[in-house]
Amino acid sequence: MEQQELHKNEAMTDNNAEAVAGESMNTDENVAGTNNLNEAVATENEMEKLQAELAEQKDKYLRLFAEFDNYKRRTAKERIELMQTAGREVIGSLLDVLDDSERAEKTMEMAQDVTVVKEGVQLVFAKLRSTLEQKGLKPMSSVGEEFNPDLHEAITEIPAPTEDMQGKVIDQVQKGYYLGDKIIRFAKVVVGK
């Protein structure tokens, strides 16, 4: 009889241990319990997936950052090359004008007829103007125009000779120029008050 009671107690102890173990970790997902072994494995798989995704995103970020850095370097280099090429083109086209100026200078040293020298110098200036106009340079017309601080730089104001010239440009001290549609030099003007 004592042995039967001992077996009964052991059986109850085993059932209690299983019940306690079932609350902390349940191996059968069909049996009620707080934690399931499959859930723990699933959580580990999710963590591994998230870590792999994070590593992939870090790699993409680093590659994108490196590509952007290379892009900045490449565009800076291209900009410098473009400026050098543009300057080379303009100066190359002005070399003909320089050659003509040197010939005119030699002719002026030996010339005795002033009209011939004048004509030669005027031809050189005309060639210079046409070369610069081909490159997009346009002079700004200011005399008689309404004073505009976006285009003109007022040097001084003088009394207007007529009433309709008040607030308008009376004289131009230095010409203004456009390169394409952009102002590269403002006109220095005298304004009537």
Side-chain angles (χ1 to χ4, degrees):
M1 186 134 147
E2 280 181 31
Q3 270 190 346
Q4 283 180 347
E5 274 187 43
L6 188 62
H7 273 314
K8 225 181 197 183
N9 285 341
E10 284 178 5
M12 287 176 72
T13 307
D14 288 340
N15 286 342
N16 286 340
E18 284 179 16
V20 170
E23 283 183 61
S24 61
M25 186 61 73
N26 189 352
T27 57
D28 186 4
E29 61 186 40
N30 296 327
V31 175
T34 56
N35 287 333
N36 189 316
L37 183 60
N38 291 338
E39 288 177 2
V41 172
T43 306
E44 287 179 21
N45 288 341
E46 286 179 23
M47 285 293 289
E48 288 174 6
K49 284 180 186 177
L50 288 174
Q51 287 175 344
E53 190 176 319
L54 178 64
E56 183 181 330
Q57 292 299 325
K58 280 183 181 178
D59 185 55
K60 282 183 182 179
Y61 170 75
L62 290 175
R63 289 178 189 274
L64 185 63
F65 185 78
E67 285 178 25
F68 182 69
D69 197 37
N70 291 339
Y71 166 77
K72 285 192 324 187
R73 283 192 206 125
R74 186 174 53 248
T75 54
K77 183 179 176 183
E78 288 172 357
R79 186 178 299 131
I80 290 169
E81 288 174 1
L82 179 66
M83 289 186 335
Q84 289 173 344
T85 305
R88 187 178 305 135
E89 183 182 334
V90 170
I91 290 175
S93 63
L94 291 175
L95 290 177
D96 292 336
V97 177
L98 182 63
D99 293 340
D100 289 348
S101 298
E102 288 174 355
R103 283 192 286 274
E105 186 179 37
K106 286 180 185 176
T107 305
M108 286 187 335
E109 290 173 2
M110 298 182 286
Q112 294 168 352
D113 188 10
V114 176
T115 56
V116 174
V117 172
K118 270 185 171 178
E119 288 175 12
V121 170
Q122 287 174 345
L123 286 172
V124 170
F125 282 132
K127 190 172 189 176
L128 175 64
R129 281 189 201 101
S130 70
T131 302
L132 291 173
E133 284 174 3
Q134 288 173 358
K135 299 299 175 189
L137 187 73
K138 292 183 278 185
M140 187 184 296
S141 61
S142 299
V143 177
E145 299 285 321
E146 193 73 33
F147 175 73
N148 183 349
D150 293 334
L151 304 174
H152 307 118
E153 183 179 328
I155 294 177
T156 188
E157 286 185 332
I158 61 169
T162 61
E163 199 163 307
D164 64 323
M165 289 297 286
Q166 287 181 350
K168 292 188 178 181
V169 176
I170 294 176
D171 191 21
Q172 181 172 263
V173 177
Q174 188 178 50
K175 237 183 212 181
Y177 287 97
Y178 295 101
L179 185 59
D181 292 333
K182 292 190 173 196
I183 298 173
I184 60 169
R185 185 170 83 181
F186 295 96
K188 294 184 179 179
V189 297
V190 176
V191 181
K193 64 175 178 175

